[in-house]
Amino acid sequence: MGPPPRLGRPARRAALVVHVIASAGWLGLTLGLLTLGITAATDGSAVTVEASVRAMKLFADWLLLPVAFLTLLSGLLLSLGTTWGLARYRWVYTKFWLTLATTTATVFALRPGVNSAVTAVAAGGPLPDAGDVLFGPAVSLSAYVFMTVISVLKPWGKTRRGSERPRTFA
């Protein structure tokens, strides 16, 4: 069995465009979430706090997961369909695991935190914990900026697997 098939130039370019747009969208959504979270945590107006957390819920429920999964899938397609490979270069491997971790954190931490904030504020109470609306977006934004930097700089070289000589199949 030989190496996996590579994407042709048009398919590779299309996948790269989709990946860059999805990644930039994810970064922008997260920046928007952080801005709304800061507003909810620092504004004294109950109306503004409620509007902020409701907007966060809208982003988290309808936009964040599709954009996260599109980023993850297009990144996998690019890594597996090009010479970069998934485990050949440390920066690609790092991006994959960080993308998987932030997607998982979106499902199990960010969305539930936003939902609990909306529930509390909609019932007329104060924002229960500013961390519910600040921590997730702040950590995610840091991770996405880091992944963007390593995508541009491509540091660290090859993994042990990437340094092995390719096997020839007879």
Side-chain angles (χ1 to χ4, degrees):
M1 186 167 142
R6 301 288 180 216
L7 294 172
R9 186 173 189 205
R12 185 181 69 248
R13 288 177 136 190
L16 181 60
V17 166
V18 167
H19 185 67
V20 168
I21 290 170
S23 299
W26 201 9
L27 186 113
L29 279 169
T30 304
L31 183 59
L33 282 170
L34 183 58
T35 302
L36 290 166
I38 291 169
T39 301
T42 60
D43 196 290
S45 164
V47 173
T48 303
V49 172
E50 184 172 358
S52 296
V53 295
R54 285 187 182 274
M56 289 181 79
K57 181 170 173 41
L58 191 65
F59 282 177
D61 286 350
W62 292 100
L63 296 173
L64 224 71
L65 286 179
V67 170
F69 286 124
L70 185 57
T71 301
L72 182 63
L73 293 175
S74 61
L76 271 172
L77 178 65
L78 282 169
S79 65
L80 296 174
T82 65
T83 57
W84 290 111
L86 182 59
R88 291 187 68 215
Y89 291 87
R90 286 183 180 93
W91 70 272
V92 176
Y93 202 57
T94 301
K95 275 186 61 177
F96 169 73
W97 286 108
L98 276 174
T99 302
L100 194 59
T102 52
T103 300
T104 302
T106 296
V107 172
F108 295 108
L110 189 140
R111 289 182 74 214
V114 168
N115 287 337
S116 71
V118 168
T119 301
V121 171
L127 188 64
D129 182 6
D132 286 345
V133 294
L134 291 174
F135 185 69
V139 171
S140 295
L141 185 62
S142 300
Y144 306 147
V145 168
F146 176 72
M147 287 188 276
T148 301
V149 169
I150 65 174
S151 293
V152 173
L153 299 180
K154 298 172 180 46
W156 309 318
K158 291 184 176 184
T159 63
R160 186 177 331 143
R161 182 179 196 167
S163 298
E164 292 174 357
R165 296 183 133 234
R167 296 184 185 122
T168 57
F169 297 94

